[in-house]
Amino acid sequence: MLCDSPLSILFVLESEPESSCSLAFLNSYLEGLTESLSRQISISVFYPLFSDKEEHYSLNIIPGNDFNRFVTYLPKRHISFKETFSSFQIENVFRYILKDESFDCIHIWSFKNHSFNYPFIAGERSIPVVVSLYDGFLSTPFIFEKGCIGGCFTKEKKLRISNFVSSPVNSVLEKAGKLFSPRNNKGVWFEQIGRYSSFYNKPAASSLEDPVCREREKLSFEAIEFTDKFILFSEMEYNLFYRNSIPENKTIFMEQGFYGEGFVDSKPFEIEGAVKFGFMGELLPEDGIMELVEAFNILYEKGFQNEIHIYGEIAGNSRYVNRLKKTIKNPNVFLRGPIEPGRFNAALETFDVLIVPSKWHRSDTFLVKSAIWCRKAIVISSKNRAAEIVENMSRGIVVDEIAPDSIFNVLSELERNRKRLYYFMRITDDFEATTIDSNVRTLISLYSSLSKKKLNLDDMILKRKLHRKKIERLRG
């Protein structure tokens, strides 16, 4: 939709907004954020798709009523690891977009699948840059681990290069996979999330050469230098990854918002039958899913009939899912597959208690806030930023140790002590939390303050006319 505001913002995303392949439901959050922002300012999004059917690094411009899309296509494996953080091909695509468009600000939501040189390229054109950091990728490719710029590639932590770089072995395996499993299209889950997991990096592999490590470190510092503002969801993330590299005067802490819309029944209620539990996340060791399954095995052995509905990628994650299935002894464990952003709230309604047993430090709060708003009790690891919300507002139980026995004790307590459970699931009239609309106001204020363009009313009208003409030309 076209807006009267002169602000024109480019979002740089790691994947297609509608894709379920985003860590910590970032796409579900961005869906609501982009929709709300597009009502007030002009939004365009630039993202890659993994495809070996399209011409690599070609650009597809897709006009839309709400926002325009700039789509490029990446190979599933790169020629070298350097291309994962500095690729002249995707940089040329980025330059073309900036040359052909007039943006007041660029907001990079993730450097994954892009280049660390983007802030420098934008700086050449005097376009301010905002970068959101919700994991440690700018510091280290081990996004589930604690990061440290300059010290990531140690003997204890070697990156499995075959996860990123093309080789004859990869080609043979991919062809064999298509031959024996022609219908198994795993999509982009592995490229987006799976290959960063310790599970997929267990076998010994060739380590990165020191020059490549130093170049990644150098470019990460340059990206910090040419970025105007960094937005983080929590101080915890800043302290873990970036305190020694990003100055405080460049940092803004913005509490991640949630939808907070729709009518929620405020009447007292009772759960009929056994309490239903739910997991929504990545089916990987770092998210504590194995310990959770083992806890439900204990529940079943003890005679409890509780169900758990597990939402996470299955088709593109067959290696770990097969291992998970072998561990499941409880017939009340259901694997439901991934959640599309538009089905997020519908999935929440299938259970009573949300379990977030992650063992990595998560800074997102979108999932937990949405669950509380839907009157779900929460069981959460203390490593999550959202654990503070759960504890401070008495909306569930915080677990310090992610182990089968400790999880079992909490789940059995909630089944037996319904009075305590119902208190956690009470109405949300006392639940005050940041909404997406609040994030929108914060971002528009930030974009406006960074924009170097001072347009009068005539300029605003002219820009809107030119924008409309371009939309019609693209459609034609």
Side-chain angles (χ1 to χ4, degrees):
M1 111 183 248
L2 295 174
C3 307
D4 292 330
S5 170
L7 286 175
S8 177
I9 311 299
L10 176 65
F11 275 11
V12 176
L13 311 179
E14 67 183 53
S15 62
E16 184 179 17
E18 295 79 12
S19 170
S20 59
C21 293
S22 65
L23 199 61
F25 296 97
L26 180 67
N27 282 354
S28 295
Y29 166 72
L30 287 175
E31 181 186 49
L33 184 71
T34 305
E35 180 182 351
S36 297
L37 274 170
S38 64
R39 299 190 192 109
Q40 303 183 49
I41 61 178
S42 176
I43 294 288
S44 299
V45 297
F46 170 43
Y47 58 88
L49 294 177
F50 287 97
S51 175
D52 291 328
K53 296 180 179 179
E54 303 287 344
E55 180 183 352
H56 292 156
Y57 302 103
S58 59
L59 179 63
N60 186 14
I61 302 175
I62 307 173
N65 293 327
D66 296 325
F67 53 87
N68 300 325
R69 299 168 185 256
F70 298 91
V71 185
T72 191
Y73 302 94
L74 300 184
K76 293 186 176 181
R77 296 291 187 277
H78 296 285
I79 297 176
S80 68
F81 182 73
K82 179 181 176 181
E83 291 189 17
T84 65
F85 60 87
S86 176
S87 165
F88 74 89
Q89 295 103 320
I90 200 167
E91 288 166 11
N92 286 339
V93 176
F94 187 65
R95 284 190 174 94
Y96 181 85
I97 294 172
L98 299 191
K99 179 182 178 182
D100 201 44
E101 297 286 336
S102 178
F103 297 111
D104 297 294
C105 186
I106 296 168
H107 191 156
I108 301 174
W109 284 93
S110 176
F111 279 106
K112 285 195 286 290
N113 307 324
H114 291 283
S115 170
F116 288 2
N117 284 312
Y118 283 4
F120 175 77
I121 295 171
E124 289 180 324
R125 290 159 176 77
S126 298
I127 305 175
V129 175
V130 175
V131 172
S132 285
L133 298 171
Y134 57 94
D135 59 33
F137 181 76
L138 183 58
S139 166
T140 167
F142 301 103
I143 61 175
F144 292 113
E145 303 289 342
K146 182 177 179 180
C148 50
I149 292 181
C152 306
F153 307 105
T154 64
K155 292 182 180 180
E156 290 76 23
K157 292 185 181 298
K158 289 185 178 180
L159 194 65
R160 190 180 181 192
I161 308 304
S162 59
N163 282 351
F164 296 87
V165 180
S166 180
S167 69
V169 175
N170 290 135
S171 301
V172 172
L173 291 177
E174 287 178 4
K175 289 180 180 178
K178 291 179 181 178
L179 180 64
F180 293 104
S181 301
R183 297 182 180 180
N184 184 18
N185 182 14
K186 70 177 183 179
V188 298
W189 178 88
F190 180 78
E191 284 74 20
Q192 296 290 4
I193 296 170
R195 65 184 177 190
Y196 300 103
S197 167
S198 61
F199 177 79
Y200 289 98
N201 285 286
K202 281 184 179 179
S206 58
S207 61
L208 293 175
E209 298 178 359
D210 287 340
V212 181
C213 301
R214 289 196 295 270
E215 184 168 3
R216 190 183 195 277
E217 177 187 358
K218 175 186 173 183
L219 287 181
S220 67
F221 279 116
E222 288 184 359
I224 292 170
E225 177 67 26
F226 288 101
T227 296
D228 295 89
K229 288 292 181 181
F230 289 90
I231 296 177
L232 293 99
F233 292 149
S234 75
E235 291 190 36
M236 177 186 72
E237 202 80 7
Y238 180 63
N239 292 332
L240 281 174
F241 295 105
Y242 301 110
R243 178 166 289 280
N244 295 328
S245 55
I246 299 178
E248 289 189 16
N249 62 358
K250 279 192 171 186
T251 305
I252 297 174
F253 296 106
M254 183 181 76
E255 183 76 25
Q256 188 183 27
F258 75 113
Y259 293 117
E261 298 176 353
F263 175 76
V264 178
D265 191 358
S266 62
K267 297 178 181 179
F269 64 92
E270 290 188 4
I271 298 172
E272 296 182 3
V275 176
K276 293 183 175 65
F277 296 89
F279 169 91
M280 302 168 74
E282 300 306 325
L283 306 189
L284 287 171
E286 293 86 355
D287 253 8
I289 183 63
M290 190 63 72
E291 289 82 355
L292 180 57
V293 165
E294 291 173 352
F296 267 83
N297 288 342
I298 300 174
L299 277 173
Y300 187 67
E301 291 172 3
K302 299 292 185 181
F304 291 89
Q305 297 300 314
N306 303 89
E307 297 178 1
I308 181 166
H309 301 264
I310 296 176
Y311 293 90
E313 181 58 51
I314 295 176
N317 189 19
S318 57
R319 279 180 58 192
Y320 191 76
V321 171
N322 289 337
R323 178 180 171 184
L324 195 65
K325 287 179 178 179
K326 292 178 181 178
T327 305
I328 297 173
K329 309 299 182 185
N330 187 336
N332 298 314
V333 175
F334 302 100
L335 300 178
R336 300 300 189 190
I339 305 171
E340 296 178 3
R343 299 287 298 166
F344 182 78
N345 284 339
L348 279 173
E349 292 303 322
T350 60
F351 52 82
D352 309 304
V353 180
L354 173 70
I355 310 176
V356 189
S358 57
K359 294 183 284 187
W360 61 290
H361 292 272
R362 291 177 54 165
S363 65
D364 62 295
T365 58
F366 175 78
L367 171 61
V368 168
K369 287 177 180 176
S370 300
I372 293 175
W373 185 255
C374 294
R375 296 183 67 180
K376 309 299 175 183
I378 313 294
V379 176
I380 189 169
S381 161
S382 59
K383 291 184 179 292
N384 287 263
R385 161 69 182 88
E388 298 176 22
I389 298 173
V390 173
E391 193 167 41
N392 292 340
M393 303 201 68
S394 297
R395 289 289 174 171
I397 300 175
V398 177
V399 182
D400 291 324
E401 181 188 9
I402 300 303
D405 288 339
S406 58
I407 297 174
F408 162 76
N409 291 334
V410 171
L411 303 187
S412 59
E413 160 69 11
L414 292 178
E415 173 58 53
R416 291 191 298 261
N417 192 344
R418 292 295 178 93
K419 183 176 180 180
R420 188 183 187 194
L421 173 63
Y422 293 157
Y423 176 70
F424 294 149
M425 301 174 69
R426 65 191 183 276
I427 61 176
T428 56
D429 54 356
D430 66 336
F431 180 51
E432 296 181 2
T434 303
T435 63
I436 283 181
D437 286 339
S438 175
N439 287 169
V440 166
R441 291 191 292 271
T442 299
L443 291 176
I444 290 179
S445 176
L446 176 61
Y447 300 150
S448 299
S449 65
L450 291 177
S451 175
K452 296 177 174 59
K453 298 179 181 179
K454 304 295 182 181
L455 301 180
N456 56 34
L457 182 60
D458 292 337
D459 293 328
M460 291 169 58
I461 295 173
L462 177 61
K463 184 170 184 177
R464 184 177 184 185
K465 288 180 178 179
L466 293 174
H467 182 67
R468 284 181 170 175
K469 286 182 178 180
K470 183 161 190 176
I471 292 293
E472 294 301 322
R473 175 172 60 83
L474 290 172
R475 286 174 177 165

